[in-house]
């Protein structure tokens, strides 16, 4: 679309053209930390409006098809300008350095940030602005596909970065922050985004201080929180209750960075914009679905957090379950966040709580390969010697609704395995009355179609089909209809954090987790997690770098399934 | 014509036909030596198929089942099938390969009638050599060239050797193999309608057959007006007395219902239905063979295979050269009525009871008989005219010396066809075939319907036609299968785009794909009729086209002229538009690495 310049960034007056416009007074009220449950509906409209602005700006330079925003861009010309202040709380932490600041810079580099914005780092350490900039600059990188002016852009970006040192529970320190923010906002309409990159036990303190002392008086205030969101239904419920003392639901942006991954975003597009998939998307044709996550490294000296959570909480209950819900949901009324999240919650609520029988847990042990020895989980200095924490888990889940009754959804997640990958595999049923049965030998399992969505690494979508081997005679073989992103799309795929930060600024909540979704997710896993802990179920040990405990195969076999990631069909 | 089959243990090496089993056979069907060889065919062919498979890593499946050809009795057929369908372990294949020491061996004599012709030189002899090179021919075989020109065996060999080539993927011993092959080639000069000359041929064949059980295959690579003469002579004077005799004929099979029926009647005076192998070499193309595999061995496609999901299908054939002295028959008869219609029938047929030739051909006939005869208003014809590009002038069709100046013969045609059955009611099947166009290609495109109530409607802009899924099977050149899907363009924001799920044969399969003629010759030797056209299929096909062809000729419909090397007449688009369809081959598609 035409209006890619930063001047098209939204301003209050542009709402005047919108039939669903929000009176300014109402808008103000909405953004204060007051509960007003009847408002969000209106708010959504304004959000989607704002979202459009971002889309047009961040369309990667491709022409947009037939959507116009021109009128708005013109209307705002004389309007009062807005500004966004992004405060990274916990600025000296790892996540901030590795992900948040680089994502912000990438957005700036791509012209996706509004004209006026300020980035503040907030943490307890004493740092000057200069020291913060210095720290940040080391991790900023430029997109591979356009390196021009990168250092110029970096300098410009760093000039917008500031630091404020303070305690996370100190209202006073946040008041100081507020004053500094106001200074930078310079009388423009301020919107404020807080990114809490801090341990969960101080979430609520920071939220309290930010909301009472540093929220925007006239614009919106939003808070991004990262997992863990509690460790079971009760603690998660408690966290949500506390957050809601200071924030309304629509100010809370619970990030699940897997939802920001390119191929997870593409899941709905695949399903709903292609005629060829939706008719197949049910128990009638799908035999099972597999959600697979593996890392090829262990906790590597940073197990403190992990040990108290374990792989089930760390990966399954959030990332894999979210993908499952997106995969299995009914067609939403629209692509609006609330419609999509409504459908996801329905899936979660239709699911059976996990049974211990349907779960396999594992923990990696030391392994020597060649001259190199890999430590076991409990060898790690940050892990107690007798830890029973699972570093691997496999589970079979079921959705008891009309579409999915009886279809096993298998999940598998593990650390210190033989490869690093995340993928979704949809295994289809056998062809009924297959004319070619005689060609497949005994193993009909080898002859079913499979749709694979490889989320990482090396994004790809492929569909395994049966094909005649070229040549005389009639021999069949599996081949892939393949879409390798690297080959098709030469551009670097943006990091999930970029997308999610942009969405949070745009008020697009589709990829963030709503409180009721979170509740429903915990309700599925909490009984199992408690049972594992109460019964002190010992995990099956598997060697570092292996394919994981054998138990996963027995679990799959129980449902007459084979894990798809063990065949050598990858292209 | 019930036949009983001698019992034989399914796969031991000793199951090659022995004379006694033949005697038994002949007793049961005294009337026809020609149809009595089914059991032999099976075993022989099992043996052949095993041979041809021996160099490949078999997935524990041999090709036996392909050999269960048109058999008169379904029960015996079933029995046989039950025995041969379950896979044979590879070791067994290995054992059988070594077997060739039986006392009573059989031999195949392949007589290429019209040996000095172009097709024989370019396709038939090279295909036979390729089969030989791949060890797909039986141990004992003889090739005879038959034509009017006087030639010695050596001269024939000389001529043949010029066109023999070796498969790219195994060139070893090629010249050695070539010499061995050429030693099996002989020539006999004679008139096409002389029984006497065929008696001489018979004598020569017998000499080479050396008392073995003899099977004889005649490949008629001659003009259609002498088909019957040759068949008569071969049938009366040179058919096998104790094995099978089969005749392969090439198009044209008549030029309308009447002439085609007359030809069939003529052939059937001398041959049984199951001796006639009408070749349609498009059915031997790798990706056409794969159509049934795609449809019936994948769960993904069959649920989509109906009017509910498919909006239209397109069958596209184009050549980038003109008729070059070989015009006259017209593109509709030359390409549409046979090649494209055959592919259409394979695409649209119901699931056959089995993969047996008769079951598949029964379903194909049903499709053809459910189709509406072509209407003049659903057809666009064109003829190429001369065109000068960069100083090079390409001659128009009527500039050809062989073509009358006022010829109205179409060199291009597009047509919309309809199948009035429950599965396809209302779905246009578009065909397009032309010469002297801008590309050479043959492909099948299945365009799916719009997504009902699409959530992403807005993301596609105005042209929803650009947003439908499409399955493309590119038959030539550069075999490929791809499915066009909508996909999110990676990056921030939500923009959709069409991408392909792509299978490129050259990248996936390193083997060279065999020529269609190899497959068809092997099938004819094996008695596998799946890819040959049965008389009733041919009748049904002509019925669809004959009224149109007559109308075109009677009304002297003038073809739209199009420049040599262009995309063909513009009216083809109006025809598509009439059914609210867009030709899929005109959209710009990204090139696949």
């Amino acid at each position: 679309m035409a209006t890619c310049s930063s001047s098209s960034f939204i301003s209050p007056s542009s709402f005047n053209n919108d039939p669903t416009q929000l009176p300014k007074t109402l808008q103000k009220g909405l953004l204060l930390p007051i509960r007003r449950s009847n408002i969000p509906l209106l708010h959504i409209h304004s959000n989607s409006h704002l979202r459009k602005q971002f889309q047009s700006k961040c369309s990667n330079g491709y022409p947009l098809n037939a959507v116009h925003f021109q009128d708005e861009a013109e209307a705002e010309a004389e309007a009062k300008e807005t500004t966004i202040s992004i405060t990274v709380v916990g600025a000296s932490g790892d996540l901030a350095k590795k992900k948040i600041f680089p994502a912000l810079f990438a957005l700036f580099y791509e012209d996706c940030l509004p004209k006026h914005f300020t980035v503040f780092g907030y943490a307890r350490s004493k740092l000057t602005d200069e020291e913060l900039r210095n720290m940040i600059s080391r991790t900023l990188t430029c997109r591979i596909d356009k390196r021009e002016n990168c250092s110029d852009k970096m300098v410009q970006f760093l000039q917008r970065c500031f630091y404020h040192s303070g305690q996370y529970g100190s209202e006073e320190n946040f008041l100081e922050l507020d004053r500094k923010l106001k200074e930078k906002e310079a009388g423009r309409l301020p919107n404020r985004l807080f990114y809490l990159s801090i341990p969960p036990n101080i979430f609520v303190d920071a939220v309290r201080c930010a909301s009472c002392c540093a929220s925007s008086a006239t614009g919106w205030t939003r808070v991004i929180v990262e997992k863990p969101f509690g460790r079971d239904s009760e603690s998660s419920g408690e966290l949500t209750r506390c957050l809601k003392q200071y924030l309304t639901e629509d100010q809370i942006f619970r990030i699940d960075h897997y939802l920001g991954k390119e191929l997870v975003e593409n899941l709905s597009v695949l399903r709903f914009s292609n005629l060829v998939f939706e008719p197949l998307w049910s128990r009638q044709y799908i035999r099972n679905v597999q959600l697979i996550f593996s890392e090829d490294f262990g906790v590597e000296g940073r197990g403190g957090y992990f040990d108290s959570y374990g792989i089930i909480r760390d990966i399954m209950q959030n990332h894999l379950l979210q993908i499952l819900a997106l995969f299995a949901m009914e067609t939403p009324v629209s692509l609006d966040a609330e419609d999509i999240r409504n459908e996801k919650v329905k899936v979660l609520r239709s699911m059976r709580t996990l049974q211990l029988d349907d779960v396999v847990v594992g923990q990696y042990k030391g392994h020597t390969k060649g001259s190199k020895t890999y430590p076991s989980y409990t060898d790690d200095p940050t892990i107690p010697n007798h830890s029973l924490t699972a570093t691997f888990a496999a589970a079979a889940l079921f959705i008891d609704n009309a579409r999915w009754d009886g279809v096993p959804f298998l999940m598998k997640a593990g650390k210190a395995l033989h490869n690093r990958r995340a993928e979704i595999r949809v295994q289809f049923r056998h062809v009924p009355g297959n004319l070619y049965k005689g060609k497949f030998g005994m193993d009909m399992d080898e002859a079913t179609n499979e749709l694979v969505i490889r989320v990482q690494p090396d994004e790809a979508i492929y569909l395994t089909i049966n094909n005649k081997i070229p040549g005389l005679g009639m021999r069949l073989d599996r081949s892939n209809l393949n879409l390798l992103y690297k080959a098709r799309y030469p551009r670097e795929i943006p990091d999930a954090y970029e997308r999610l930060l942009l969405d949070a600024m745009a008020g697009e909540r589709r990829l963030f987790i709503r409180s009721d979704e979170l509740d429903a997710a915990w309700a599925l896993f909490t009984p199992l997690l408690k049972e594992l802990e109460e019964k002190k179920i010992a995990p099956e040990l598997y060697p570092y770098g292996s394919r994981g405990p054998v138990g996963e195969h027995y679990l799959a076999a129980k449902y007459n399934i084979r894990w798809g990631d063990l065949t050598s069909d990858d292209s | 014509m019930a036949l009983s089959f001698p019992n034989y243990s399914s796969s031991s090496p000793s199951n090659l036909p022995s004379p006694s089993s033949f005697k038994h056979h002949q007793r049961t069907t005294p009337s026809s030596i020609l149809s009595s060889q089914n059991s032999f065919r099976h075993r022989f062919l099992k043996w052949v198929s095993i041979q041809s498979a021996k160099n490949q890593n078999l997935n524990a499946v041999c090709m036996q089942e392909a050999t269960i050809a048109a058999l008169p009795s379904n029960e015996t057929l079933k029995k046989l099938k039950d025995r041969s369908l379950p896979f044979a372990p590879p070791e067994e294949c290995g054992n059988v390969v070594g077997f060739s020491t039986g006392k009573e061996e059989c031999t195949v004599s392949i007589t290429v009638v019209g040996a000095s012709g172009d097709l024989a030189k370019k396709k038939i002899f090279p295909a036979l050599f390729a089969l030989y090179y791949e060890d797909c021919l039986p141990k004992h075989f003889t090739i005879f060239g038959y034509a009017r020109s006087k030639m010695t065996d050596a001269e024939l060999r000389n001529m043949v050797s010029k066109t023999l080539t070796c498969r790219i993927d195994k060139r070893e011993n090629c010249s050695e193999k070539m010499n061995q092959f050429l030693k099996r080639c002989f020539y006999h000069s004679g008139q096409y309608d002389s029984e006497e000359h065929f008696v001489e041929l018979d004598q020569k064949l017998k000499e080479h057959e050396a008392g073995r059980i003899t099977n004889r295959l005649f490949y008629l690579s001659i003009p259609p007006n002498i088909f019957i003469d040759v068949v008569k002579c071969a049938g009366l004077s040179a058919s096998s007395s104790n094995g099978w005799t089969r005749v392969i004929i090439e198009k044209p099979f008549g030029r309308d219902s009447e002439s085609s029926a007359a030809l069939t009647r003529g052939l059937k005076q001398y041959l049984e239905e199951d001796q006639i192998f009408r070749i349609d070499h498009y059915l031997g193309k790798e990706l056409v063979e794969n159509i049934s595999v795609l449809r019936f061995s994948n769960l993904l496609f069959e649920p989509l295979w109906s009017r509910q999901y498919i909006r239209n299908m397109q069958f596209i054939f184009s050549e980038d050269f003109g008729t070059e002295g070989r015009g006259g028959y017209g593109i509709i008869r030359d390409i549409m009525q046979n090649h494209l219609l055959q592919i259409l029938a394979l695409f649209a047929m119901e699931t056959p009871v089995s993969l047996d030739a008769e079951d598949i051909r029964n379903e194909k006939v049903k499709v053809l008989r459910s189709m509406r005869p072509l209407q003049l208003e659903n057809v666009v014809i064109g003829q190429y005219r001369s065109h000068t590009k960069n100083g090079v002038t390409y001659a128009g069709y009527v500039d050809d010396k062989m073509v009358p100046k006022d010829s109205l013969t179409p060199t291009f045609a597009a047509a919309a066809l309809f199948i009035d059955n429950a599965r396809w009611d209302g779905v246009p099947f578009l065909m397009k075939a032309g010469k002297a166009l801008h590309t050479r290609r043959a492909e099948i495109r299945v365009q799916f319907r719009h997504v009902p109530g699409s959530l992403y409607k807005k993301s596609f802009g105005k042209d929803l036609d650009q947003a439908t899924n499409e399955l493309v099977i590119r038959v030539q050149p550069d075999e490929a299968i791809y499915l066009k899907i909508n996909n999110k363009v990676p990056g921030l924001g939500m923009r959709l785009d069409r991408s392909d799920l792509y299978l490129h044969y050259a990248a996936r399969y390193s083997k060279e794909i065999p020529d269609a003629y190899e497959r068809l010759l092997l099938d004819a030797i094996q008695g596998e009729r799946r890819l040959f056209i049965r008389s009733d299929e041919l009748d049904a096909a002509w019925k669809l086209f004959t009224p149109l062809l007559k109308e075109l000729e009677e009304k002297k419909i003038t073809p739209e002229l199009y420049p040599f090397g262009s995309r063909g007449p513009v009216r083809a688009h109006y025809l598509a538009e009439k059914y609210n369809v867009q030709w899929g081959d005109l959209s710009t598609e990204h090139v696949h690495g």
Side-chain angles (χ1 to χ4, degrees), chain B residues 70-304:
Chain B
L71 292 179
S73 155
N74 279 335
E75 277 173 35
T76 38
L77 182 115
K78 209 174 169 195
K79 262 185 232 161
L80 257 170
K81 196 170 77 168
D82 290 344
R83 198 158 39 218
S84 57
L85 265 179
F87 68 91
E91 314 85 84
E92 197 177 315
C93 300
N95 287 342
V96 179
V97 169
F99 156 75
S100 58
T101 52
K103 279 179 208 154
E104 292 294 336
E105 289 173 310
C106 58
T107 178
V108 174
S109 302
I110 300 159
T111 306
V112 181
V113 183
S116 49
D118 234 34
L119 180 75
K121 278 189 276 189
K122 279 195 195 150
K123 291 290 185 180
I124 305 172
F125 289 114
L128 286 169
F129 172 61
L131 288 174
Y132 175 72
Y133 189 96
E134 299 276 339
D135 277 336
C136 291
L137 291 183
K139 188 177 166 202
H140 300 291
F141 73 93
T142 313
I143 293 172
F144 258 87
Y146 185 102
R148 283 175 304 192
S149 9
K150 300 270 175 228
M151 248 196 271
T152 63
D153 291 347
E155 280 166 335
L156 175 89
R157 286 170 191 164
N158 201 17
M159 182 191 87
V160 169
S161 67
K162 282 185 211 129
T163 56
L164 298 189
T165 49
C166 289
R167 295 289 194 86
I168 288 166
D169 59 343
K170 11 175 178 163
R171 292 176 180 280
E172 294 168 50
N173 307 323
C174 186
S175 56
E176 223 173 280
K177 282 271 188 185
M178 233 182 249
N179 284 335
Q180 288 165 17
F181 175 78
L182 289 171
K183 277 187 208 155
R184 313 276 199 109
C185 296
F186 304 90
Y187 183 75
H188 183 72
S189 159
Q191 295 300 311
Y192 294 124
D193 57 354
S194 157
E195 290 192 28
E196 202 183 313
H197 293 161
F198 274 87
V199 168
E200 288 164 22
L201 173 69
D202 184 56
Q203 273 149 11
K204 282 199 186 171
L205 288 175
K206 277 197 179 123
E207 235 170 73
H208 290 284
E209 288 158 359
R212 297 187 187 90
I213 294 158
T214 58
N215 296 311
R216 290 188 183 171
L217 179 66
F218 290 89
Y219 198 121
L220 304 198
S221 176
I222 48 175
N225 57 330
I226 47 173
F227 276 179
I228 307 275
D229 285 339
V230 171
V231 166
K232 180 176 154 220
C233 299
L236 296 178
S237 313
S239 55
S240 164
S241 57
N242 59 357
W244 49 252
T245 302
R246 293 173 189 149
V247 178
I248 297 179
I249 55 178
E250 277 268 354
K251 71 178 178 183
F253 311 124
R255 51 179 286 118
D256 53 23
S257 288
E258 293 73 27
S259 54
S260 165
L263 175 64
T264 299
R265 259 196 316 278
L267 293 174
K268 288 215 175 164
Q269 280 180 22
Y270 309 102
L271 301 171
E272 298 288 321
E273 175 71 36
D274 66 0
Q275 292 183 279
I276 305 171
F277 285 71
R278 286 187 196 84
I279 226 168
D280 183 324
H281 70 271
Y282 260 72
L283 293 184
K285 299 244 176 213
E286 186 60 42
L287 267 75
V288 175
E289 269 272 84
N290 199 27
I291 290 172
S292 300
V293 176
L294 270 187
R295 280 190 65 187
F296 300 121
S297 79
N298 291 293
L299 187 75
L300 297 169
F301 297 116
E302 197 52 25
L304 304 170

Side-chain angles (χ1 to χ4, degrees), chain A residues 71-88:
Chain A
D71 42 350
E72 292 152 25
E74 285 158 13
E76 64 161 330
E78 77 238 35
K80 186 181 173 190
E81 288 177 307
T82 55
T83 179
I84 290 191
S85 302
I86 302 156
T87 306
V88 181

Side-chain angles (χ1 to χ4, degrees), chain A residues 352-392:
Chain A
R352 247 179 262 170
T353 52
L354 266 82
Q355 305 297 311
L356 191 55
D357 288 353
D358 285 337
V359 175
V360 170
V361 290
Q363 190 186 77
Y364 66 87
K365 60 178 180 184
H367 180 59
T368 303
K369 203 160 52 180
S371 58
K372 193 152 166 50
T373 298
Y374 298 93
S376 75
Y377 178 68
T378 50
D379 290 344
D380 197 281
T382 55
I383 304 293
N385 281 341
H386 301 292
S387 171
L388 295 179
T389 301
T391 61
F392 175 98

Side-chain angles (χ1 to χ4, degrees), chain A residues 282-551:
Chain A
S282 74
R283 63 198 296 272
Q284 196 181 351
Y285 297 108
I286 292 179
R287 190 169 172 229
N288 70 83
V289 180
Q290 303 180 4
L291 304 151
I292 296 169
F293 169 95
S294 67
E295 279 177 350
D296 53 3
F297 49 88
V299 287
E300 325 282 320
R302 304 158 51 94
Y305 155 77
F306 183 85
D307 193 61
S308 58
Y309 286 88
I311 196 88
I312 297 179
R313 291 186 179 90
D314 198 42
I315 303 292
M316 279 193 171
Q317 179 272 345
N318 39 41
H319 304 324
L320 297 188
L321 189 64
Q322 284 293 322
I323 295 174
L324 183 153
L326 269 178
F327 179 93
M329 71 181 181
E330 299 299 310
T331 312
V333 174
S334 79
L335 295 173
D336 289 350
E338 296 315 309
D339 289 329
I340 291 178
R341 297 197 289 187
N342 286 344
E343 294 304 331
K344 280 167 65 195
V345 173
K346 277 165 59 185
V347 171
L348 297 176
R349 292 184 47 214
S350 300
M351 288 176 73
R352 247 179 262 170
T353 52
L354 266 82
Q355 305 297 311
L356 191 55
D357 288 353
D358 285 337
V359 175
V360 170
V361 290
Q363 190 186 77
Y364 66 87
K365 60 178 180 184
H367 180 59
T368 303
K369 203 160 52 180
S371 58
K372 193 152 166 50
T373 298
Y374 298 93
S376 75
Y377 178 68
T378 50
D379 290 344
D380 197 281
T382 55
I383 304 293
N385 281 341
H386 301 292
S387 171
L388 295 179
T389 301
T391 61
F392 175 98
L397 292 89
F398 292 89
I399 306 173
D400 291 333
N401 66 13
R403 191 189 280 261
W404 297 116
D405 191 6
V407 178
F409 285 77
L410 294 189
M411 277 184 186
K412 175 161 94 169
K415 285 178 176 289
L417 294 175
H418 72 300
N419 64 13
R420 170 179 166 264
R421 104 159 103 183
E423 63 185 17
I424 306 163
R425 288 180 169 261
V426 186
Q427 295 188 340
F428 291 90
R429 291 191 183 277
H430 298 153
V431 175
N434 195 336
L435 285 172
Y436 291 89
K437 205 179 247 165
K439 309 285 180 189
F440 291 116
M442 308 275 267
D443 195 354
M444 290 297 288
D445 284 341
E446 293 292 318
T448 58
N449 293 129
E450 194 169 8
L451 174 67
V452 181
I453 298 169
R454 191 164 63 216
V455 177
Q456 68 183 28
D458 235 4
E459 292 86 347
I461 299 172
Y462 55 95
L463 186 60
T464 308
I465 57 165
N466 294 304
N467 211 44
K468 179 180 168 303
I469 298 177
L472 303 169
M474 173 63 73
R475 293 182 315 116
L476 304 194
D477 185 17
R478 300 228 293 179
S479 290
N480 293 338
L481 290 177
N482 204 336
L483 171 60
L484 186 60
Y485 270 56
K486 216 165 44 183
R488 170 74 175 88
Y489 300 105
R491 299 177 63 83
E492 201 193 358
I493 295 173
D495 188 78
Y497 281 91
E498 288 175 47
R499 190 191 317 280
L500 293 165
L501 274 163
L502 186 63
D503 279 353
M505 283 185 266
E508 167 59 63
R509 292 167 175 78
R510 195 162 36 91
L511 303 179
F512 297 91
I513 298 167
R514 210 164 61 183
S515 301
D516 56 346
E517 275 188 274
L518 185 63
D519 285 352
W522 276 120
L524 294 175
F525 279 87
T526 298
L528 169 83
L529 289 165
K530 291 203 166 142
E531 197 174 349
L532 283 173
E533 275 154 30
E534 277 158 20
K535 295 191 176 164
K536 297 198 190 307
I537 305 282
E540 185 181 336
L541 297 179
Y542 60 94
Y544 193 115
S546 70
R547 288 173 177 269
V550 183

Side-chain angles (χ1 to χ4, degrees), chain B residues 322-334:
Chain B
T323 50
E324 284 151 22
R326 296 157 45 114
Y329 199 59
I331 196 90
I332 298 179
R333 291 185 177 93
D334 199 39

